[in-house]
Amino acid sequence: MQIEKYLKEYQPVIYKTFCNALESNKLSHAYLLSGSIGMPLKETAIYLAKSLICDNPHPLACNECITCMRVDESNYADLMIFDGEAAKIKKGDIEKITTSFDKTALEEKGVMIYILHLVETMTPIAVNSLLKFLEEPGKNIFAFLTTENESKILPTIISRTQVLRFREIDRSKIIKEAVFSGVFEEDAEILSGFYNDADTIKRVAESKEYEVAKQALNDQLQSLLIGPDDAVFSCQKLIVPALKQQEPARLYLKMLTEVFKDLLNLSVNENITLKSYDNILQELLNHVAHIDKSLIMLMSSLKKLDLNVNIGLLLDHIVYEITREGK
């Protein structure tokens, strides 16, 4: 992804704000990049970090110099990245930053940078350690924090950072860009419900997890057309065995949620986004009761999945609730 192009086109406020800060040499010691799931928060944080140390900035990183390439290769000594998507950010991670940055910079630029992706995943102890570090930032030390859920971030962290909020890109535009990049239209339509970036949609659409989740979704929708008993049987014999891992289960629940959002739209004669699923949605209207209650239940189930509940039991509960009044 060309982050500079993305920022110019879709996030002009962030682009201008950071460019002005660089040109006037009035940088904040810490930035919080806040956006929704699927937005290139981590990629933007890395790009902005590169802009502070690039050999030929204009005013943002050139992406071509030796320093930029070293960052891309994770070979720049004074840049530390901790990814909360891969694992919870712990106190030990913050201690690594404070210990390393308590010394003189190793690189000739003299600038030290750390990136914490998805700070909402931090343990409470890690948050306390980070707060202390943010309160007394050292000279030429810069932080880029990211979050997909700003409401989960302590006000004390927000108050110690300059917040750069990403704006949502129009869904129809995201779908069009994803299709242009080679994604099937039905995949672009359904994934755009929870990924606000065409490149992310393409990456997910090509993943094994999505392939498994999509097959499970189609199996479940077809079984709902047959009847409640078949829906329950399909869930227990096909869906649950296929969705043992959290990631494909999460994708499945998100996609099922998008289906019920459009079912609700159809029920009140509103336009739908999942045009590729139009025929099956029209049929489902006559087979599924209490759509609104099912939608609320699906949204709460996604939160339960984050609490490491038993995936099989959760999926069983969902299909029982969806078909309960149809029995």
Side-chain angles (χ1 to χ4, degrees), residues 156-185:
T156 45
I157 286 184
I158 295 176
S159 67
R160 287 166 174 76
T161 62
Q162 180 174 349
V163 183
L164 302 177
R165 294 186 175 90
F166 284 58
R167 68 178 182 88
E168 291 283 335
I169 304 170
D170 182 76
R171 190 169 176 179
S172 62
K173 186 176 286 189
I174 293 294
I175 293 171
K176 185 177 180 180
E177 288 188 1
V179 171
F180 183 77
S181 71
V183 178
F184 288 117
E185 192 160 0

Coordinates of all heavy atoms in Angstrom, one line a residue, residues 156-185:
T156 N -6.3 9.4 30.5 CA -4.9 9.8 30.8 C -3.9 9.6 29.7 O -3.0 10.3 29.5 CB -4.4 9.2 32.1 OG1 -4.7 7.8 32.1 CG2 -5.1 9.8 33.3
I157 N -4.1 8.5 28.9 CA -3.3 8.3 27.8 C -3.6 9.2 26.6 O -2.8 9.8 26.0 CB -3.4 6.8 27.3 CG1 -2.7 5.9 28.3 CG2 -2.8 6.6 25.9 CD1 -2.6 4.4 27.9
I158 N -4.9 9.4 26.4 CA -5.4 10.3 25.3 C -4.9 11.7 25.6 O -4.5 12.4 24.7 CB -6.9 10.2 25.2 CG1 -7.4 8.8 24.8 CG2 -7.4 11.3 24.3 CD1 -8.9 8.6 24.7
S159 N -5.0 12.1 26.8 CA -4.6 13.5 27.2 C -3.1 13.7 27.0 O -2.6 14.9 26.9 CB -5.0 13.8 28.6 OG -4.2 13.0 29.5
R160 N -2.3 12.7 27.0 CA -0.8 12.8 26.8 C -0.4 12.6 25.4 O 0.8 12.5 25.1 CB -0.1 11.8 27.8 CG -0.2 12.2 29.2 CD 0.2 11.1 30.1 NE 0.3 11.5 31.5 CZ -0.8 11.7 32.3 NH1 -2.0 11.6 31.8 NH2 -0.6 12.1 33.6
T161 N -1.3 12.5 24.5 CA -1.0 12.3 23.1 C -1.8 13.3 22.2 O -2.8 13.8 22.6 CB -1.4 10.9 22.6 OG1 -2.8 10.7 22.7 CG2 -0.7 9.8 23.4
Q162 N -1.3 13.4 21.0 CA -2.1 14.2 20.0 C -2.8 13.1 19.2 O -2.2 12.2 18.5 CB -1.2 15.0 19.0 CG -2.0 15.8 18.0 CD -1.1 16.7 17.2 OE1 0.0 16.9 17.5 NE2 -1.7 17.2 16.1
V163 N -4.1 13.2 19.2 CA -5.0 12.2 18.6 C -5.2 12.5 17.1 O -5.6 13.6 16.7 CB -6.3 12.1 19.3 CG1 -7.2 10.9 18.6 CG2 -6.1 11.8 20.7
L164 N -4.9 11.6 16.2 CA -5.1 11.7 14.8 C -6.2 10.7 14.4 O -5.9 9.5 14.4 CB -3.8 11.4 14.0 CG -2.6 12.3 14.3 CD1 -1.4 11.9 13.5 CD2 -2.9 13.8 14.0
R165 N -7.4 11.2 14.2 CA -8.5 10.3 14.0 C -8.8 10.1 12.5 O -8.9 11.0 11.7 CB -9.8 10.9 14.6 CG -9.7 10.9 16.1 CD -11.0 11.3 16.8 NE -10.9 11.2 18.2 CZ -10.5 12.2 19.0 NH1 -10.2 13.4 18.5 NH2 -10.4 12.0 20.3
F166 N -8.8 8.8 12.1 CA -9.0 8.4 10.7 C -10.5 8.6 10.4 O -11.4 8.2 11.2 CB -8.6 7.0 10.4 CG -7.1 6.8 10.3 CD1 -6.3 7.2 11.3 CD2 -6.6 6.3 9.2 CE1 -4.9 7.0 11.2 CE2 -5.2 6.1 9.0 CZ -4.4 6.5 10.1
R167 N -10.9 9.1 9.2 CA -12.3 9.2 8.9 C -12.7 7.9 8.0 O -11.9 7.4 7.3 CB -12.6 10.4 8.1 CG -12.0 10.5 6.7 CD -12.4 11.8 6.0 NE -11.9 11.9 4.7 CZ -12.5 11.5 3.6 NH1 -13.6 10.8 3.7 NH2 -11.9 11.6 2.4
E168 N -13.9 7.5 8.2 CA -14.4 6.4 7.4 C -14.5 6.7 5.9 O -14.9 7.8 5.5 CB -15.8 6.0 7.9 CG -15.9 5.4 9.3 CD -15.4 3.9 9.4 OE1 -15.5 3.3 8.3 OE2 -14.9 3.5 10.4
I169 N -14.1 5.8 5.1 CA -14.2 5.9 3.7 C -15.5 5.4 3.2 O -16.0 4.3 3.7 CB -13.0 5.2 3.0 CG1 -11.7 5.7 3.5 CG2 -13.1 5.4 1.4 CD1 -10.5 4.9 3.0
D170 N -16.1 6.0 2.3 CA -17.4 5.6 1.8 C -17.4 4.1 1.3 O -16.5 3.7 0.6 CB -17.9 6.4 0.6 CG -19.2 6.0 0.0 OD1 -20.2 6.4 0.7 OD2 -19.3 5.3 -1.0
R171 N -18.3 3.3 1.8 CA -18.3 1.9 1.6 C -18.3 1.5 0.1 O -17.6 0.6 -0.3 CB -19.4 1.2 2.4 CG -19.3 -0.3 2.4 CD -20.3 -0.9 3.4 NE -20.3 -2.4 3.4 CZ -21.1 -3.1 4.1 NH1 -21.9 -2.5 5.0 NH2 -21.1 -4.4 4.1
S172 N -19.1 2.2 -0.6 CA -19.2 1.9 -2.1 C -17.9 2.1 -2.8 O -17.5 1.4 -3.7 CB -20.3 2.7 -2.7 OG -20.0 4.1 -2.6
K173 N -17.1 3.1 -2.3 CA -15.8 3.4 -2.9 C -14.8 2.2 -2.6 O -14.0 1.8 -3.4 CB -15.3 4.7 -2.4 CG -14.0 5.1 -3.1 CD -13.6 6.5 -2.6 CE -14.5 7.6 -3.3 NZ -13.9 9.0 -3.0
I174 N -14.9 1.8 -1.3 CA -14.0 0.7 -0.9 C -14.3 -0.6 -1.7 O -13.4 -1.3 -2.2 CB -14.3 0.4 0.6 CG1 -13.8 1.5 1.5 CG2 -13.5 -0.9 1.0 CD1 -12.3 1.7 1.4
I175 N -15.6 -0.9 -1.9 CA -16.0 -2.0 -2.7 C -15.5 -1.9 -4.1 O -14.9 -2.9 -4.7 CB -17.6 -2.2 -2.7 CG1 -18.1 -2.5 -1.3 CG2 -18.0 -3.3 -3.7 CD1 -19.6 -2.5 -1.2
K176 N -15.6 -0.8 -4.7 CA -15.2 -0.6 -6.1 C -13.7 -0.7 -6.2 O -13.2 -1.4 -7.2 CB -15.6 0.9 -6.5 CG -15.3 1.2 -8.0 CD -15.8 2.6 -8.4 CE -15.5 2.9 -9.8 NZ -15.9 4.3 -10.2
E177 N -12.9 -0.2 -5.2 CA -11.5 -0.3 -5.3 C -11.0 -1.8 -5.1 O -10.1 -2.3 -5.7 CB -10.8 0.5 -4.2 CG -10.9 2.0 -4.5 CD -10.1 2.8 -3.5 OE1 -9.5 2.2 -2.6 OE2 -10.1 4.1 -3.7
A178 N -11.7 -2.5 -4.2 CA -11.4 -3.9 -3.9 C -11.6 -4.8 -5.2 O -10.8 -5.6 -5.5 CB -12.2 -4.4 -2.7
V179 N -12.8 -4.5 -5.8 CA -13.1 -5.3 -7.0 C -12.1 -4.9 -8.1 O -11.6 -5.8 -8.9 CB -14.5 -4.9 -7.5 CG1 -14.8 -5.5 -8.9 CG2 -15.6 -5.4 -6.5
F180 N -11.7 -3.7 -8.2 CA -10.7 -3.3 -9.2 C -9.3 -4.0 -9.0 O -8.6 -4.3 -9.9 CB -10.5 -1.8 -9.2 CG -9.5 -1.2 -10.2 CD1 -9.9 -1.1 -11.5 CD2 -8.2 -0.9 -9.8 CE1 -9.0 -0.6 -12.5 CE2 -7.3 -0.4 -10.8 CZ -7.7 -0.3 -12.1
S181 N -9.0 -4.3 -7.7 CA -7.8 -4.9 -7.4 C -7.8 -6.5 -7.6 O -6.8 -7.1 -7.4 CB -7.4 -4.6 -5.9 OG -8.2 -5.3 -5.0
G182 N -9.0 -7.0 -7.9 CA -9.1 -8.4 -8.2 C -10.0 -9.2 -7.3 O -10.1 -10.4 -7.4
V183 N -10.6 -8.5 -6.3 CA -11.5 -9.2 -5.3 C -12.8 -9.5 -6.0 O -13.4 -8.6 -6.7 CB -11.6 -8.4 -4.0 CG1 -12.5 -9.1 -3.1 CG2 -10.3 -8.1 -3.4
F184 N -13.4 -10.7 -5.8 CA -14.8 -10.9 -6.3 C -15.7 -9.9 -5.6 O -15.6 -9.6 -4.4 CB -15.2 -12.4 -6.0 CG -14.5 -13.4 -6.8 CD1 -13.7 -14.3 -6.2 CD2 -14.6 -13.4 -8.2 CE1 -13.0 -15.3 -7.0 CE2 -14.0 -14.3 -9.0 CZ -13.1 -15.3 -8.4
E185 N -16.8 -9.5 -6.3 CA -17.7 -8.5 -5.8 C -18.4 -8.9 -4.6 O -18.5 -8.1 -3.6 CB -18.7 -8.2 -6.9 CG -19.5 -6.9 -6.6 CD -20.2 -6.3 -7.8 OE1 -20.0 -6.8 -8.9 OE2 -20.9 -5.3 -7.6

